[in-house]
Amino acid sequence: MEKRIRLKISYDGTAYHGWQIQDGTVTVEGVLTDAVSEAVGKPVEVIGASRTDAGVHALGNVAVFDADTPIPADKMAMVLNKLLPDDISIVCSDEVPSDWHPRKQDCRKTYEYRIYTAPVRMPLKRLYAHYTYSDLDIGEMDRAASFFTGEHDFTAFCAAGSQATSFTRTIYACSVKKDGNEAVIRVTGSGFLYNMVRIIAGTLFEVGLGRKKADDIPGIIDSLDRRKAGPTLPACGLTLIGYEYGDRPF
Amino acid sequence: MEKRIRLKISYDGTAYHGWQIQDGTVTVEGVLTDAVSEAVGKPVEVIGASRTDAGVHALGNVAVFDADTPIPADKMAMVLNKLLPDDISIVCSDEVPSDWHPRKQDCRKTYEYRIYTAPVRMPLKRLYAHYTYSDLDIGEMDRAASFFTGEHDFTAFCAAGSQATSFTRTIYACSVKKDGNEAVIRVTGSGFLYNMVRIIAGTLFEVGLGRKKADDIPGIIDSLDRRKAGPTLPACGLTLIGYEYGDRPF
């Protein structure tokens, strides 16, 4: 009997051309699909929740697959961890109904973006945070972040090339906190447009540098103009923290 | 006029076969020597403070070199950072007397060893900490750590192959603290024998697991027997935090 198995996946995106399988590149989905197919003994298709970009990290991306396997759903994590490379691991696994789809459930999705400040770049931070030598006004960044909460049309925070049909998204929480010499931007929403978190981070970065003010944010959102928002910050600073599924928590 | 320039160096040791130049391998000293030689326009020999092993990281290793260059000593860091790869950076630079030698001064040297605990391995920690799924008794580890302080013959904590003529070293401080899901072992001493910090970490790890007791440490030190101490933990968890030179602080 086929069952649908769900995986919570953590990975270091540094070595991967993002999540989604593409010919001729090494992707997280590709490596995971190979491991799952080996574990269950035949080719399997994996359905992912978030198609993270090249270089983006995850603590809790989600995927499901269907397989007729004697391996209990909750032991699948352990089996896959023996087959996966060091930079991908399965945090946990469980069984879900056969029609449960990771992109078609109500959920809250949380990302973190890290920016570190130091007089010179720091080798031990370079893979997981964006570097600046400038001091950031973290209080002003946090005040700016609060303006993103609520339901808005985020056209100004969406990269060209998006295939979205609606640009309205709901942000449940957005804050900026200090963690040592890092500014940690944390944003939770119903979903995000293409590059939206990295553009929000770039806009908050400009607030931190004093190039924009917190009070400019509502006007930037209302403009629906990508050019009014800040730059898209590099992928390395971004980590998908995870999904909260109301119907079926991990 | 030649001057002696001192560098404080930070690096991610993951990609390097340690500090010391060896034929046919990529080393931190090798890459740094090339950058310095390019900056000053002729071949230069670099003298390092610590010959860290393959995979060991540093926030503050130290090196000096002599050169007749118009570049001011304090600007050398900036010049070198433009020539060095992302995983090596110069934190600062200054001029020291021509007979100042980084291995022949009185100093205190500090290392950190990190062990993280989680139900499954975590990709984002793998390069900078040793992983265990077991809970560690950090209080007992910290109590064990205190027995290392003082002047002792550390023969039991020295790997075979050491070229040391004396095995007596002074430890000024040794402690274990919790940082999120990591145990952070921090040890400051006059100097360390070959693999000594990784063997101290391995011994404290066994205390954390309950395989040894804190009160066993004095007997292990007194035994002068390498087999009584714990295993040598992997290089990735070790970071050289830095040097304090009494005569000439940074």
Side-chain angles (χ1 to χ4, degrees), chain B residues 196-229:
Chain B
M196 180 170 154
V197 180
R198 288 162 60 186
I199 299 171
I200 288 177
T203 307
L204 292 173
F205 182 48
E206 294 208 318
V207 170
L209 294 170
R211 291 183 198 154
K212 286 184 168 56
K213 290 183 192 329
D215 292 327
D216 296 340
I217 302 296
I220 297 170
I221 295 174
D222 290 347
S223 75
L224 308 183
D225 182 352
R226 171 68 189 90
R227 293 166 301 179
K228 301 279 197 246

PDB file of all heavy atoms in Angstrom, chain B residues 196-229:
ATOM      1  N   MET B 196      46.845  18.795  21.823  1.00  0.00           N
ATOM      2  CA  MET B 196      46.468  18.854  23.241  1.00  0.00           C
ATOM      3  C   MET B 196      45.048  19.372  23.468  1.00  0.00           C
ATOM      4  O   MET B 196      44.294  18.805  24.270  1.00  0.00           O
ATOM      5  CB  MET B 196      47.485  19.742  23.990  1.00  0.00           C
ATOM      6  CG  MET B 196      47.222  19.905  25.467  1.00  0.00           C
ATOM      7  SD  MET B 196      48.679  20.716  26.235  1.00  0.00           S
ATOM      8  CE  MET B 196      47.898  21.508  27.648  1.00  0.00           C
ATOM      9  N   VAL B 197      44.652  20.416  22.738  1.00  0.00           N
ATOM     10  CA  VAL B 197      43.302  20.962  22.968  1.00  0.00           C
ATOM     11  C   VAL B 197      42.233  19.974  22.502  1.00  0.00           C
ATOM     12  O   VAL B 197      41.209  19.786  23.171  1.00  0.00           O
ATOM     13  CB  VAL B 197      43.118  22.334  22.278  1.00  0.00           C
ATOM     14  CG1 VAL B 197      41.714  22.871  22.531  1.00  0.00           C
ATOM     15  CG2 VAL B 197      44.148  23.338  22.787  1.00  0.00           C
ATOM     16  N   ARG B 198      42.491  19.292  21.390  1.00  0.00           N
ATOM     17  CA  ARG B 198      41.508  18.321  20.890  1.00  0.00           C
ATOM     18  C   ARG B 198      41.423  17.087  21.798  1.00  0.00           C
ATOM     19  O   ARG B 198      40.375  16.439  21.864  1.00  0.00           O
ATOM     20  CB  ARG B 198      41.834  17.940  19.445  1.00  0.00           C
ATOM     21  CG  ARG B 198      41.525  19.089  18.473  1.00  0.00           C
ATOM     22  CD  ARG B 198      42.206  18.937  17.134  1.00  0.00           C
ATOM     23  NE  ARG B 198      41.808  17.720  16.453  1.00  0.00           N
ATOM     24  CZ  ARG B 198      42.349  17.298  15.304  1.00  0.00           C
ATOM     25  NH1 ARG B 198      43.326  18.002  14.732  1.00  0.00           N
ATOM     26  NH2 ARG B 198      41.920  16.198  14.748  1.00  0.00           N
ATOM     27  N   ILE B 199      42.508  16.768  22.510  1.00  0.00           N
ATOM     28  CA  ILE B 199      42.462  15.638  23.461  1.00  0.00           C
ATOM     29  C   ILE B 199      41.785  16.084  24.768  1.00  0.00           C
ATOM     30  O   ILE B 199      41.004  15.333  25.353  1.00  0.00           O
ATOM     31  CB  ILE B 199      43.879  15.074  23.714  1.00  0.00           C
ATOM     32  CG1 ILE B 199      44.484  14.564  22.394  1.00  0.00           C
ATOM     33  CG2 ILE B 199      43.823  13.938  24.748  1.00  0.00           C
ATOM     34  CD1 ILE B 199      45.965  14.198  22.493  1.00  0.00           C
ATOM     35  N   ILE B 200      42.068  17.304  25.215  1.00  0.00           N
ATOM     36  CA  ILE B 200      41.329  17.850  26.373  1.00  0.00           C
ATOM     37  C   ILE B 200      39.831  17.860  26.044  1.00  0.00           C
ATOM     38  O   ILE B 200      38.990  17.430  26.846  1.00  0.00           O
ATOM     39  CB  ILE B 200      41.831  19.270  26.743  1.00  0.00           C
ATOM     40  CG1 ILE B 200      43.224  19.195  27.379  1.00  0.00           C
ATOM     41  CG2 ILE B 200      40.845  19.978  27.673  1.00  0.00           C
ATOM     42  CD1 ILE B 200      43.847  20.545  27.715  1.00  0.00           C
ATOM     43  N   ALA B 201      39.478  18.325  24.835  1.00  0.00           N
ATOM     44  CA  ALA B 201      38.062  18.361  24.432  1.00  0.00           C
ATOM     45  C   ALA B 201      37.461  16.951  24.422  1.00  0.00           C
ATOM     46  O   ALA B 201      36.336  16.738  24.877  1.00  0.00           O
ATOM     47  CB  ALA B 201      37.918  19.022  23.057  1.00  0.00           C
ATOM     48  N   GLY B 202      38.215  15.991  23.924  1.00  0.00           N
ATOM     49  CA  GLY B 202      37.736  14.603  23.886  1.00  0.00           C
ATOM     50  C   GLY B 202      37.535  14.029  25.280  1.00  0.00           C
ATOM     51  O   GLY B 202      36.608  13.235  25.520  1.00  0.00           O
ATOM     52  N   THR B 203      38.381  14.426  26.213  1.00  0.00           N
ATOM     53  CA  THR B 203      38.273  13.958  27.595  1.00  0.00           C
ATOM     54  C   THR B 203      37.060  14.616  28.269  1.00  0.00           C
ATOM     55  O   THR B 203      36.278  13.946  28.962  1.00  0.00           O
ATOM     56  CB  THR B 203      39.588  14.275  28.348  1.00  0.00           C
ATOM     57  OG1 THR B 203      40.685  13.746  27.589  1.00  0.00           O
ATOM     58  CG2 THR B 203      39.582  13.667  29.742  1.00  0.00           C
ATOM     59  N   LEU B 204      36.892  15.913  28.037  1.00  0.00           N
ATOM     60  CA  LEU B 204      35.722  16.607  28.598  1.00  0.00           C
ATOM     61  C   LEU B 204      34.427  16.083  27.963  1.00  0.00           C
ATOM     62  O   LEU B 204      33.381  16.010  28.612  1.00  0.00           O
ATOM     63  CB  LEU B 204      35.855  18.117  28.394  1.00  0.00           C
ATOM     64  CG  LEU B 204      36.980  18.772  29.201  1.00  0.00           C
ATOM     65  CD1 LEU B 204      37.148  20.243  28.811  1.00  0.00           C
ATOM     66  CD2 LEU B 204      36.713  18.654  30.706  1.00  0.00           C
ATOM     67  N   PHE B 205      34.490  15.725  26.688  1.00  0.00           N
ATOM     68  CA  PHE B 205      33.340  15.126  25.998  1.00  0.00           C
ATOM     69  C   PHE B 205      32.930  13.838  26.713  1.00  0.00           C
ATOM     70  O   PHE B 205      31.739  13.609  26.992  1.00  0.00           O
ATOM     71  CB  PHE B 205      33.739  14.856  24.542  1.00  0.00           C
ATOM     72  CG  PHE B 205      32.661  14.280  23.670  1.00  0.00           C
ATOM     73  CD1 PHE B 205      31.380  14.820  23.643  1.00  0.00           C
ATOM     74  CD2 PHE B 205      32.935  13.201  22.829  1.00  0.00           C
ATOM     75  CE1 PHE B 205      30.398  14.285  22.808  1.00  0.00           C
ATOM     76  CE2 PHE B 205      31.959  12.673  21.990  1.00  0.00           C
ATOM     77  CZ  PHE B 205      30.689  13.207  21.990  1.00  0.00           C
ATOM     78  N   GLU B 206      33.897  12.998  27.069  1.00  0.00           N
ATOM     79  CA  GLU B 206      33.579  11.750  27.782  1.00  0.00           C
ATOM     80  C   GLU B 206      32.998  12.029  29.168  1.00  0.00           C
ATOM     81  O   GLU B 206      32.153  11.266  29.646  1.00  0.00           O
ATOM     82  CB  GLU B 206      34.839  10.879  27.883  1.00  0.00           C
ATOM     83  CG  GLU B 206      35.297  10.405  26.512  1.00  0.00           C
ATOM     84  CD  GLU B 206      36.048   9.088  26.565  1.00  0.00           C
ATOM     85  OE1 GLU B 206      36.862   8.925  27.480  1.00  0.00           O
ATOM     86  OE2 GLU B 206      35.786   8.243  25.691  1.00  0.00           O
ATOM     87  N   VAL B 207      33.439  13.111  29.794  1.00  0.00           N
ATOM     88  CA  VAL B 207      32.828  13.515  31.073  1.00  0.00           C
ATOM     89  C   VAL B 207      31.368  13.918  30.815  1.00  0.00           C
ATOM     90  O   VAL B 207      30.459  13.515  31.541  1.00  0.00           O
ATOM     91  CB  VAL B 207      33.621  14.676  31.724  1.00  0.00           C
ATOM     92  CG1 VAL B 207      32.856  15.245  32.916  1.00  0.00           C
ATOM     93  CG2 VAL B 207      35.013  14.201  32.149  1.00  0.00           C
ATOM     94  N   GLY B 208      31.145  14.689  29.756  1.00  0.00           N
ATOM     95  CA  GLY B 208      29.791  15.136  29.423  1.00  0.00           C
ATOM     96  C   GLY B 208      28.846  13.977  29.141  1.00  0.00           C
ATOM     97  O   GLY B 208      27.651  14.037  29.452  1.00  0.00           O
ATOM     98  N   LEU B 209      29.396  12.905  28.562  1.00  0.00           N
ATOM     99  CA  LEU B 209      28.596  11.713  28.240  1.00  0.00           C
ATOM    100  C   LEU B 209      28.393  10.808  29.459  1.00  0.00           C
ATOM    101  O   LEU B 209      27.622   9.844  29.397  1.00  0.00           O
ATOM    102  CB  LEU B 209      29.304  10.889  27.147  1.00  0.00           C
ATOM    103  CG  LEU B 209      29.427  11.528  25.766  1.00  0.00           C
ATOM    104  CD1 LEU B 209      30.356  10.695  24.886  1.00  0.00           C
ATOM    105  CD2 LEU B 209      28.059  11.671  25.108  1.00  0.00           C
ATOM    106  N   GLY B 210      29.118  11.085  30.558  1.00  0.00           N
ATOM    107  CA  GLY B 210      29.014  10.258  31.761  1.00  0.00           C
ATOM    108  C   GLY B 210      29.971   9.072  31.777  1.00  0.00           C
ATOM    109  O   GLY B 210      29.927   8.233  32.671  1.00  0.00           O
ATOM    110  N   ARG B 211      30.869   8.990  30.769  1.00  0.00           N
ATOM    111  CA  ARG B 211      31.827   7.863  30.721  1.00  0.00           C
ATOM    112  C   ARG B 211      33.013   8.076  31.643  1.00  0.00           C
ATOM    113  O   ARG B 211      33.753   7.140  31.953  1.00  0.00           O
ATOM    114  CB  ARG B 211      32.343   7.677  29.288  1.00  0.00           C
ATOM    115  CG  ARG B 211      31.277   7.179  28.349  1.00  0.00           C
ATOM    116  CD  ARG B 211      31.860   6.945  26.953  1.00  0.00           C
ATOM    117  NE  ARG B 211      30.795   6.885  25.970  1.00  0.00           N
ATOM    118  CZ  ARG B 211      30.932   7.173  24.676  1.00  0.00           C
ATOM    119  NH1 ARG B 211      32.119   7.544  24.207  1.00  0.00           N
ATOM    120  NH2 ARG B 211      29.913   7.088  23.852  1.00  0.00           N
ATOM    121  N   LYS B 212      33.282   9.340  31.974  1.00  0.00           N
ATOM    122  CA  LYS B 212      34.305   9.689  32.959  1.00  0.00           C
ATOM    123  C   LYS B 212      33.671  10.681  33.930  1.00  0.00           C
ATOM    124  O   LYS B 212      32.665  11.321  33.600  1.00  0.00           O
ATOM    125  CB  LYS B 212      35.510  10.367  32.278  1.00  0.00           C
ATOM    126  CG  LYS B 212      36.409   9.453  31.477  1.00  0.00           C
ATOM    127  CD  LYS B 212      37.617  10.220  30.925  1.00  0.00           C
ATOM    128  CE  LYS B 212      38.697   9.314  30.375  1.00  0.00           C
ATOM    129  NZ  LYS B 212      38.264   8.372  29.334  1.00  0.00           N
ATOM    130  N   LYS B 213      34.273  10.827  35.105  1.00  0.00           N
ATOM    131  CA  LYS B 213      33.796  11.812  36.079  1.00  0.00           C
ATOM    132  C   LYS B 213      34.796  12.965  36.157  1.00  0.00           C
ATOM    133  O   LYS B 213      35.983  12.783  35.876  1.00  0.00           O
ATOM    134  CB  LYS B 213      33.679  11.168  37.455  1.00  0.00           C
ATOM    135  CG  LYS B 213      32.542  10.157  37.590  1.00  0.00           C
ATOM    136  CD  LYS B 213      32.492   9.641  39.024  1.00  0.00           C
ATOM    137  CE  LYS B 213      31.598   8.422  39.183  1.00  0.00           C
ATOM    138  NZ  LYS B 213      30.450   8.299  38.293  1.00  0.00           N
ATOM    139  N   ALA B 214      34.299  14.125  36.570  1.00  0.00           N
ATOM    140  CA  ALA B 214      35.194  15.277  36.729  1.00  0.00           C
ATOM    141  C   ALA B 214      36.373  14.914  37.628  1.00  0.00           C
ATOM    142  O   ALA B 214      37.525  15.258  37.342  1.00  0.00           O
ATOM    143  CB  ALA B 214      34.414  16.466  37.309  1.00  0.00           C
ATOM    144  N   ASP B 215      36.089  14.177  38.704  1.00  0.00           N
ATOM    145  CA  ASP B 215      37.148  13.852  39.669  1.00  0.00           C
ATOM    146  C   ASP B 215      38.208  12.893  39.121  1.00  0.00           C
ATOM    147  O   ASP B 215      39.224  12.663  39.773  1.00  0.00           O
ATOM    148  CB  ASP B 215      36.525  13.271  40.944  1.00  0.00           C
ATOM    149  CG  ASP B 215      35.712  14.325  41.694  1.00  0.00           C
ATOM    150  OD1 ASP B 215      36.102  15.519  41.639  1.00  0.00           O
ATOM    151  OD2 ASP B 215      34.682  13.973  42.303  1.00  0.00           O
ATOM    152  N   ASP B 216      37.955  12.309  37.938  1.00  0.00           N
ATOM    153  CA  ASP B 216      38.964  11.448  37.312  1.00  0.00           C
ATOM    154  C   ASP B 216      40.113  12.256  36.698  1.00  0.00           C
ATOM    155  O   ASP B 216      41.179  11.691  36.409  1.00  0.00           O
ATOM    156  CB  ASP B 216      38.338  10.600  36.180  1.00  0.00           C
ATOM    157  CG  ASP B 216      37.296   9.620  36.702  1.00  0.00           C
ATOM    158  OD1 ASP B 216      37.324   9.315  37.918  1.00  0.00           O
ATOM    159  OD2 ASP B 216      36.459   9.168  35.888  1.00  0.00           O
ATOM    160  N   ILE B 217      39.896  13.540  36.437  1.00  0.00           N
ATOM    161  CA  ILE B 217      40.881  14.321  35.657  1.00  0.00           C
ATOM    162  C   ILE B 217      42.263  14.380  36.315  1.00  0.00           C
ATOM    163  O   ILE B 217      43.273  14.120  35.628  1.00  0.00           O
ATOM    164  CB  ILE B 217      40.344  15.753  35.356  1.00  0.00           C
ATOM    165  CG1 ILE B 217      39.006  15.680  34.594  1.00  0.00           C
ATOM    166  CG2 ILE B 217      41.380  16.584  34.593  1.00  0.00           C
ATOM    167  CD1 ILE B 217      39.063  15.046  33.220  1.00  0.00           C
ATOM    168  N   PRO B 218      42.371  14.688  37.626  1.00  0.00           N
ATOM    169  CA  PRO B 218      43.723  14.746  38.210  1.00  0.00           C
ATOM    170  C   PRO B 218      44.494  13.440  38.031  1.00  0.00           C
ATOM    171  O   PRO B 218      45.687  13.463  37.687  1.00  0.00           O
ATOM    172  CB  PRO B 218      43.439  15.039  39.692  1.00  0.00           C
ATOM    173  CG  PRO B 218      42.121  15.755  39.686  1.00  0.00           C
ATOM    174  CD  PRO B 218      41.333  15.105  38.594  1.00  0.00           C
ATOM    175  N   GLY B 219      43.827  12.312  38.182  1.00  0.00           N
ATOM    176  CA  GLY B 219      44.492  11.014  38.010  1.00  0.00           C
ATOM    177  C   GLY B 219      44.937  10.783  36.576  1.00  0.00           C
ATOM    178  O   GLY B 219      45.999  10.196  36.328  1.00  0.00           O
ATOM    179  N   ILE B 220      44.131  11.239  35.623  1.00  0.00           N
ATOM    180  CA  ILE B 220      44.500  11.085  34.204  1.00  0.00           C
ATOM    181  C   ILE B 220      45.737  11.931  33.901  1.00  0.00           C
ATOM    182  O   ILE B 220      46.671  11.464  33.242  1.00  0.00           O
ATOM    183  CB  ILE B 220      43.318  11.481  33.282  1.00  0.00           C
ATOM    184  CG1 ILE B 220      42.123  10.547  33.511  1.00  0.00           C
ATOM    185  CG2 ILE B 220      43.755  11.457  31.821  1.00  0.00           C
ATOM    186  CD1 ILE B 220      40.829  10.997  32.835  1.00  0.00           C
ATOM    187  N   ILE B 221      45.744  13.168  34.404  1.00  0.00           N
ATOM    188  CA  ILE B 221      46.917  14.027  34.191  1.00  0.00           C
ATOM    189  C   ILE B 221      48.156  13.352  34.804  1.00  0.00           C
ATOM    190  O   ILE B 221      49.190  13.208  34.142  1.00  0.00           O
ATOM    191  CB  ILE B 221      46.702  15.429  34.810  1.00  0.00           C
ATOM    192  CG1 ILE B 221      45.553  16.168  34.094  1.00  0.00           C
ATOM    193  CG2 ILE B 221      47.995  16.264  34.740  1.00  0.00           C
ATOM    194  CD1 ILE B 221      45.158  17.508  34.722  1.00  0.00           C
ATOM    195  N   ASP B 222      48.038  12.895  36.060  1.00  0.00           N
ATOM    196  CA  ASP B 222      49.183  12.309  36.771  1.00  0.00           C
ATOM    197  C   ASP B 222      49.697  11.022  36.125  1.00  0.00           C
ATOM    198  O   ASP B 222      50.866  10.678  36.269  1.00  0.00           O
ATOM    199  CB  ASP B 222      48.808  12.010  38.237  1.00  0.00           C
ATOM    200  CG  ASP B 222      48.620  13.291  39.057  1.00  0.00           C
ATOM    201  OD1 ASP B 222      49.016  14.373  38.564  1.00  0.00           O
ATOM    202  OD2 ASP B 222      48.058  13.222  40.169  1.00  0.00           O
ATOM    203  N   SER B 223      48.808  10.305  35.420  1.00  0.00           N
ATOM    204  CA  SER B 223      49.208   9.016  34.829  1.00  0.00           C
ATOM    205  C   SER B 223      50.281   9.176  33.751  1.00  0.00           C
ATOM    206  O   SER B 223      51.017   8.240  33.459  1.00  0.00           O
ATOM    207  CB  SER B 223      47.987   8.325  34.205  1.00  0.00           C
ATOM    208  OG  SER B 223      47.630   8.959  32.975  1.00  0.00           O
ATOM    209  N   LEU B 224      50.337  10.358  33.134  1.00  0.00           N
ATOM    210  CA  LEU B 224      51.239  10.612  31.990  1.00  0.00           C
ATOM    211  C   LEU B 224      51.017   9.580  30.867  1.00  0.00           C
ATOM    212  O   LEU B 224      51.920   9.294  30.077  1.00  0.00           O
ATOM    213  CB  LEU B 224      52.716  10.596  32.423  1.00  0.00           C
ATOM    214  CG  LEU B 224      53.106  11.496  33.607  1.00  0.00           C
ATOM    215  CD1 LEU B 224      54.618  11.409  33.860  1.00  0.00           C
ATOM    216  CD2 LEU B 224      52.701  12.948  33.371  1.00  0.00           C
ATOM    217  N   ASP B 225      49.791   9.018  30.811  1.00  0.00           N
ATOM    218  CA  ASP B 225      49.495   7.924  29.878  1.00  0.00           C
ATOM    219  C   ASP B 225      48.407   8.377  28.898  1.00  0.00           C
ATOM    220  O   ASP B 225      47.250   8.557  29.275  1.00  0.00           O
ATOM    221  CB  ASP B 225      49.022   6.714  30.697  1.00  0.00           C
ATOM    222  CG  ASP B 225      48.732   5.496  29.810  1.00  0.00           C
ATOM    223  OD1 ASP B 225      48.758   5.632  28.567  1.00  0.00           O
ATOM    224  OD2 ASP B 225      48.479   4.427  30.389  1.00  0.00           O
ATOM    225  N   ARG B 226      48.781   8.537  27.642  1.00  0.00           N
ATOM    226  CA  ARG B 226      47.844   9.004  26.610  1.00  0.00           C
ATOM    227  C   ARG B 226      46.579   8.149  26.560  1.00  0.00           C
ATOM    228  O   ARG B 226      45.496   8.641  26.277  1.00  0.00           O
ATOM    229  CB  ARG B 226      48.547   9.015  25.243  1.00  0.00           C
ATOM    230  CG  ARG B 226      47.642   9.266  24.039  1.00  0.00           C
ATOM    231  CD  ARG B 226      47.087  10.687  24.028  1.00  0.00           C
ATOM    232  NE  ARG B 226      46.061  10.884  23.012  1.00  0.00           N
ATOM    233  CZ  ARG B 226      44.768  10.676  23.226  1.00  0.00           C
ATOM    234  NH1 ARG B 226      44.325  10.260  24.406  1.00  0.00           N
ATOM    235  NH2 ARG B 226      43.892  10.911  22.253  1.00  0.00           N
ATOM    236  N   ARG B 227      46.696   6.846  26.883  1.00  0.00           N
ATOM    237  CA  ARG B 227      45.534   5.951  26.777  1.00  0.00           C
ATOM    238  C   ARG B 227      44.480   6.215  27.836  1.00  0.00           C
ATOM    239  O   ARG B 227      43.333   5.783  27.694  1.00  0.00           O
ATOM    240  CB  ARG B 227      46.004   4.484  26.847  1.00  0.00           C
ATOM    241  CG  ARG B 227      46.846   4.064  25.639  1.00  0.00           C
ATOM    242  CD  ARG B 227      47.559   2.759  25.904  1.00  0.00           C
ATOM    243  NE  ARG B 227      48.435   2.860  27.074  1.00  0.00           N
ATOM    244  CZ  ARG B 227      49.165   1.857  27.558  1.00  0.00           C
ATOM    245  NH1 ARG B 227      49.105   0.668  26.984  1.00  0.00           N
ATOM    246  NH2 ARG B 227      49.945   2.040  28.615  1.00  0.00           N
ATOM    247  N   LYS B 228      44.861   6.908  28.920  1.00  0.00           N
ATOM    248  CA  LYS B 228      43.876   7.208  29.975  1.00  0.00           C
ATOM    249  C   LYS B 228      42.973   8.398  29.601  1.00  0.00           C
ATOM    250  O   LYS B 228      41.861   8.527  30.118  1.00  0.00           O
ATOM    251  CB  LYS B 228      44.585   7.542  31.299  1.00  0.00           C
ATOM    252  CG  LYS B 228      45.488   6.436  31.835  1.00  0.00           C
ATOM    253  CD  LYS B 228      44.686   5.386  32.564  1.00  0.00           C
ATOM    254  CE  LYS B 228      45.581   4.518  33.444  1.00  0.00           C
ATOM    255  NZ  LYS B 228      45.622   3.114  32.966  1.00  0.00           N
ATOM    256  N   ALA B 229      43.469   9.275  28.732  1.00  0.00           N
ATOM    257  CA  ALA B 229      42.684  10.451  28.340  1.00  0.00           C
ATOM    258  C   ALA B 229      41.663  10.059  27.262  1.00  0.00           C
ATOM    259  O   ALA B 229      41.648   8.921  26.788  1.00  0.00           O
ATOM    260  CB  ALA B 229      43.608  11.561  27.842  1.00  0.00           C
TER     261      ALA B 229
END
